[in-house]
Amino acid sequence: AGPSAGPFVWTAATGQVPITGYSVHGVSDDGQVVAGAIPLSFYAQPAIWTPSGGWVDLGTLPWMSQSGAGEAYAVSADGTHVVGQVHDGGSGYVPFVWTPTSGLEALPRSAGGTSGLGYAADVSADGEWIVGVVGGEVVVWDLQRVAQPILSVTPGQGPPAAPRTISSEGDRVTASGVGVGGVIWDRA
């Protein structure tokens, strides 16, 4: 058979294995948890896939009565922290973190942020550090989920860059964008 046209998982032992779903974006270090989205009605819903359980809907934000549209973009090394964006049921998409114990939680804006809209792009290996955009700022959230702006917005011009990755230890972030090229942020 030829290559899959949809989401798939590949290992040296099995090769390419198609999995149903809408999209896949990230994978845990052992390959046992895949972050992505599944189709739900007319939109995609944040979800994770495991070989033993298939796709699992990540649930809803506490104030919502039904699952919201969105996608999961990244997963920690051990598969216990998943990040992405989910619709808040009102004004738009908000960044989220999901854990098996806490469920789906919206990530807050920074103290000076103008709104809570945005997305979480990546998570450190241990899940303690998350990078994303919220309220037009590129931010890093720490373990207490406090948002620290690392690149600020020029009013009326939108985010200065899109966060791409965070290092395993959470101490370095890469971002790129129009007019700023590539940026590396160092927590030290």
PDB file of all heavy atoms in Angstrom, residues 55-74:
ATOM      1  N   TRP A  55      -8.319   7.359  19.863  1.00  0.00           N
ATOM      2  CA  TRP A  55      -8.503   8.789  20.112  1.00  0.00           C
ATOM      3  C   TRP A  55      -9.312   9.021  21.376  1.00  0.00           C
ATOM      4  O   TRP A  55     -10.315   8.352  21.610  1.00  0.00           O
ATOM      5  CB  TRP A  55      -9.210   9.453  18.942  1.00  0.00           C
ATOM      6  CG  TRP A  55      -8.315   9.690  17.774  1.00  0.00           C
ATOM      7  CD1 TRP A  55      -8.280   8.965  16.619  1.00  0.00           C
ATOM      8  CD2 TRP A  55      -7.318  10.703  17.647  1.00  0.00           C
ATOM      9  NE1 TRP A  55      -7.319   9.467  15.779  1.00  0.00           N
ATOM     10  CE2 TRP A  55      -6.715  10.543  16.383  1.00  0.00           C
ATOM     11  CE3 TRP A  55      -6.883  11.727  18.470  1.00  0.00           C
ATOM     12  CZ2 TRP A  55      -5.704  11.374  15.930  1.00  0.00           C
ATOM     13  CZ3 TRP A  55      -5.867  12.567  18.020  1.00  0.00           C
ATOM     14  CH2 TRP A  55      -5.289  12.380  16.760  1.00  0.00           C
ATOM     15  N   VAL A  56      -8.897  10.009  22.164  1.00  0.00           N
ATOM     16  CA  VAL A  56      -9.608  10.431  23.379  1.00  0.00           C
ATOM     17  C   VAL A  56      -9.822  11.937  23.304  1.00  0.00           C
ATOM     18  O   VAL A  56      -8.860  12.706  23.195  1.00  0.00           O
ATOM     19  CB  VAL A  56      -8.800  10.080  24.651  1.00  0.00           C
ATOM     20  CG1 VAL A  56      -9.506  10.605  25.890  1.00  0.00           C
ATOM     21  CG2 VAL A  56      -8.558   8.584  24.743  1.00  0.00           C
ATOM     22  N   ASP A  57     -11.075  12.354  23.347  1.00  0.00           N
ATOM     23  CA  ASP A  57     -11.462  13.762  23.380  1.00  0.00           C
ATOM     24  C   ASP A  57     -10.926  14.364  24.682  1.00  0.00           C
ATOM     25  O   ASP A  57     -11.075  13.779  25.753  1.00  0.00           O
ATOM     26  CB  ASP A  57     -12.992  13.812  23.331  1.00  0.00           C
ATOM     27  CG  ASP A  57     -13.583  15.192  23.398  1.00  0.00           C
ATOM     28  OD1 ASP A  57     -12.929  16.135  23.856  1.00  0.00           O
ATOM     29  OD2 ASP A  57     -14.757  15.321  23.001  1.00  0.00           O
ATOM     30  N   LEU A  58     -10.292  15.540  24.619  1.00  0.00           N
ATOM     31  CA  LEU A  58      -9.720  16.147  25.824  1.00  0.00           C
ATOM     32  C   LEU A  58     -10.751  16.853  26.693  1.00  0.00           C
ATOM     33  O   LEU A  58     -10.416  17.376  27.748  1.00  0.00           O
ATOM     34  CB  LEU A  58      -8.592  17.116  25.454  1.00  0.00           C
ATOM     35  CG  LEU A  58      -7.376  16.466  24.795  1.00  0.00           C
ATOM     36  CD1 LEU A  58      -6.281  17.488  24.575  1.00  0.00           C
ATOM     37  CD2 LEU A  58      -6.866  15.284  25.599  1.00  0.00           C
ATOM     38  N   GLY A  59     -11.996  16.871  26.276  1.00  0.00           N
ATOM     39  CA  GLY A  59     -13.048  17.421  27.138  1.00  0.00           C
ATOM     40  C   GLY A  59     -13.341  18.882  26.877  1.00  0.00           C
ATOM     41  O   GLY A  59     -13.072  19.408  25.802  1.00  0.00           O
ATOM     42  N   THR A  60     -13.882  19.540  27.893  1.00  0.00           N
ATOM     43  CA  THR A  60     -14.351  20.912  27.758  1.00  0.00           C
ATOM     44  C   THR A  60     -13.716  21.808  28.814  1.00  0.00           C
ATOM     45  O   THR A  60     -13.226  21.342  29.833  1.00  0.00           O
ATOM     46  CB  THR A  60     -15.877  20.992  27.939  1.00  0.00           C
ATOM     47  OG1 THR A  60     -16.189  20.592  29.277  1.00  0.00           O
ATOM     48  CG2 THR A  60     -16.615  20.125  26.976  1.00  0.00           C
ATOM     49  N   LEU A  61     -13.761  23.090  28.551  1.00  0.00           N
ATOM     50  CA  LEU A  61     -13.386  24.065  29.571  1.00  0.00           C
ATOM     51  C   LEU A  61     -14.469  24.054  30.640  1.00  0.00           C
ATOM     52  O   LEU A  61     -15.645  23.774  30.340  1.00  0.00           O
ATOM     53  CB  LEU A  61     -13.244  25.452  28.948  1.00  0.00           C
ATOM     54  CG  LEU A  61     -12.080  25.594  27.957  1.00  0.00           C
ATOM     55  CD1 LEU A  61     -12.180  26.911  27.203  1.00  0.00           C
ATOM     56  CD2 LEU A  61     -10.744  25.466  28.674  1.00  0.00           C
ATOM     57  N   PRO A  62     -14.122  24.336  31.888  1.00  0.00           N
ATOM     58  CA  PRO A  62     -15.091  24.208  32.989  1.00  0.00           C
ATOM     59  C   PRO A  62     -16.411  24.962  32.793  1.00  0.00           C
ATOM     60  O   PRO A  62     -17.441  24.514  33.255  1.00  0.00           O
ATOM     61  CB  PRO A  62     -14.325  24.758  34.191  1.00  0.00           C
ATOM     62  CG  PRO A  62     -12.894  24.575  33.849  1.00  0.00           C
ATOM     63  CD  PRO A  62     -12.801  24.721  32.361  1.00  0.00           C
ATOM     64  N   TRP A  63     -16.390  26.079  32.092  1.00  0.00           N
ATOM     65  CA  TRP A  63     -17.606  26.879  31.927  1.00  0.00           C
ATOM     66  C   TRP A  63     -18.432  26.494  30.700  1.00  0.00           C
ATOM     67  O   TRP A  63     -19.479  27.077  30.446  1.00  0.00           O
ATOM     68  CB  TRP A  63     -17.271  28.366  31.867  1.00  0.00           C
ATOM     69  CG  TRP A  63     -16.356  28.736  30.740  1.00  0.00           C
ATOM     70  CD1 TRP A  63     -16.702  28.978  29.430  1.00  0.00           C
ATOM     71  CD2 TRP A  63     -14.941  28.889  30.798  1.00  0.00           C
ATOM     72  NE1 TRP A  63     -15.600  29.259  28.682  1.00  0.00           N
ATOM     73  CE2 TRP A  63     -14.498  29.229  29.493  1.00  0.00           C
ATOM     74  CE3 TRP A  63     -14.000  28.782  31.808  1.00  0.00           C
ATOM     75  CZ2 TRP A  63     -13.165  29.452  29.200  1.00  0.00           C
ATOM     76  CZ3 TRP A  63     -12.682  29.014  31.495  1.00  0.00           C
ATOM     77  CH2 TRP A  63     -12.274  29.342  30.221  1.00  0.00           C
ATOM     78  N   MET A  64     -18.005  25.497  29.949  1.00  0.00           N
ATOM     79  CA  MET A  64     -18.724  25.109  28.738  1.00  0.00           C
ATOM     80  C   MET A  64     -19.522  23.833  28.955  1.00  0.00           C
ATOM     81  O   MET A  64     -19.105  22.948  29.692  1.00  0.00           O
ATOM     82  CB  MET A  64     -17.746  24.926  27.581  1.00  0.00           C
ATOM     83  CG  MET A  64     -17.081  26.226  27.163  1.00  0.00           C
ATOM     84  SD  MET A  64     -15.982  26.027  25.757  1.00  0.00           S
ATOM     85  CE  MET A  64     -17.095  25.452  24.493  1.00  0.00           C
ATOM     86  N   SER A  65     -20.645  23.735  28.275  1.00  0.00           N
ATOM     87  CA  SER A  65     -21.497  22.557  28.417  1.00  0.00           C
ATOM     88  C   SER A  65     -21.191  21.487  27.371  1.00  0.00           C
ATOM     89  O   SER A  65     -21.626  20.354  27.501  1.00  0.00           O
ATOM     90  CB  SER A  65     -22.972  22.957  28.322  1.00  0.00           C
ATOM     91  OG  SER A  65     -23.230  23.549  27.061  1.00  0.00           O
ATOM     92  N   GLN A  66     -20.461  21.850  26.314  1.00  0.00           N
ATOM     93  CA  GLN A  66     -20.110  20.868  25.292  1.00  0.00           C
ATOM     94  C   GLN A  66     -18.695  21.120  24.811  1.00  0.00           C
ATOM     95  O   GLN A  66     -18.139  22.188  25.031  1.00  0.00           O
ATOM     96  CB  GLN A  66     -21.080  20.929  24.114  1.00  0.00           C
ATOM     97  CG  GLN A  66     -21.050  22.247  23.358  1.00  0.00           C
ATOM     98  CD  GLN A  66     -22.062  22.259  22.235  1.00  0.00           C
ATOM     99  OE1 GLN A  66     -23.042  21.539  22.254  1.00  0.00           O
ATOM    100  NE2 GLN A  66     -21.824  23.088  21.240  1.00  0.00           N
ATOM    101  N   SER A  67     -18.117  20.126  24.164  1.00  0.00           N
ATOM    102  CA  SER A  67     -16.749  20.233  23.676  1.00  0.00           C
ATOM    103  C   SER A  67     -16.610  21.394  22.713  1.00  0.00           C
ATOM    104  O   SER A  67     -17.509  21.670  21.923  1.00  0.00           O
ATOM    105  CB  SER A  67     -16.337  18.941  22.981  1.00  0.00           C
ATOM    106  OG  SER A  67     -16.289  17.885  23.901  1.00  0.00           O
ATOM    107  N   GLY A  68     -15.456  22.072  22.789  1.00  0.00           N
ATOM    108  CA  GLY A  68     -15.194  23.203  21.920  1.00  0.00           C
ATOM    109  C   GLY A  68     -14.257  22.847  20.791  1.00  0.00           C
ATOM    110  O   GLY A  68     -13.468  21.910  20.882  1.00  0.00           O
ATOM    111  N   ALA A  69     -14.357  23.607  19.723  1.00  0.00           N
ATOM    112  CA  ALA A  69     -13.481  23.414  18.581  1.00  0.00           C
ATOM    113  C   ALA A  69     -12.049  23.744  18.972  1.00  0.00           C
ATOM    114  O   ALA A  69     -11.809  24.571  19.848  1.00  0.00           O
ATOM    115  CB  ALA A  69     -13.929  24.319  17.436  1.00  0.00           C
ATOM    116  N   GLY A  70     -11.091  23.091  18.336  1.00  0.00           N
ATOM    117  CA  GLY A  70      -9.695  23.395  18.599  1.00  0.00           C
ATOM    118  C   GLY A  70      -8.793  22.263  18.169  1.00  0.00           C
ATOM    119  O   GLY A  70      -9.231  21.314  17.514  1.00  0.00           O
ATOM    120  N   GLU A  71      -7.514  22.368  18.562  1.00  0.00           N
ATOM    121  CA  GLU A  71      -6.539  21.331  18.250  1.00  0.00           C
ATOM    122  C   GLU A  71      -5.500  21.270  19.353  1.00  0.00           C
ATOM    123  O   GLU A  71      -5.200  22.273  19.987  1.00  0.00           O
ATOM    124  CB  GLU A  71      -5.843  21.615  16.923  1.00  0.00           C
ATOM    125  CG  GLU A  71      -6.763  21.506  15.731  1.00  0.00           C
ATOM    126  CD  GLU A  71      -6.017  21.437  14.418  1.00  0.00           C
ATOM    127  OE1 GLU A  71      -5.113  20.592  14.287  1.00  0.00           O
ATOM    128  OE2 GLU A  71      -6.349  22.224  13.528  1.00  0.00           O
ATOM    129  N   ALA A  72      -4.942  20.091  19.557  1.00  0.00           N
ATOM    130  CA  ALA A  72      -3.798  19.901  20.446  1.00  0.00           C
ATOM    131  C   ALA A  72      -2.549  19.946  19.577  1.00  0.00           C
ATOM    132  O   ALA A  72      -2.479  19.260  18.556  1.00  0.00           O
ATOM    133  CB  ALA A  72      -3.907  18.567  21.176  1.00  0.00           C
ATOM    134  N   TYR A  73      -1.557  20.756  19.971  1.00  0.00           N
ATOM    135  CA  TYR A  73      -0.375  20.967  19.142  1.00  0.00           C
ATOM    136  C   TYR A  73       0.881  20.254  19.629  1.00  0.00           C
ATOM    137  O   TYR A  73       1.767  19.973  18.825  1.00  0.00           O
ATOM    138  CB  TYR A  73      -0.073  22.454  19.021  1.00  0.00           C
ATOM    139  CG  TYR A  73      -1.132  23.231  18.284  1.00  0.00           C
ATOM    140  CD1 TYR A  73      -1.635  24.418  18.795  1.00  0.00           C
ATOM    141  CD2 TYR A  73      -1.638  22.774  17.077  1.00  0.00           C
ATOM    142  CE1 TYR A  73      -2.603  25.133  18.117  1.00  0.00           C
ATOM    143  CE2 TYR A  73      -2.610  23.477  16.392  1.00  0.00           C
ATOM    144  CZ  TYR A  73      -3.088  24.672  16.921  1.00  0.00           C
ATOM    145  OH  TYR A  73      -4.056  25.363  16.251  1.00  0.00           O
ATOM    146  N   ALA A  74       0.992  20.033  20.932  1.00  0.00           N
ATOM    147  CA  ALA A  74       2.241  19.444  21.448  1.00  0.00           C
ATOM    148  C   ALA A  74       1.946  18.645  22.706  1.00  0.00           C
ATOM    149  O   ALA A  74       0.931  18.860  23.382  1.00  0.00           O
ATOM    150  CB  ALA A  74       3.250  20.544  21.751  1.00  0.00           C
TER     151      ALA A  74
END
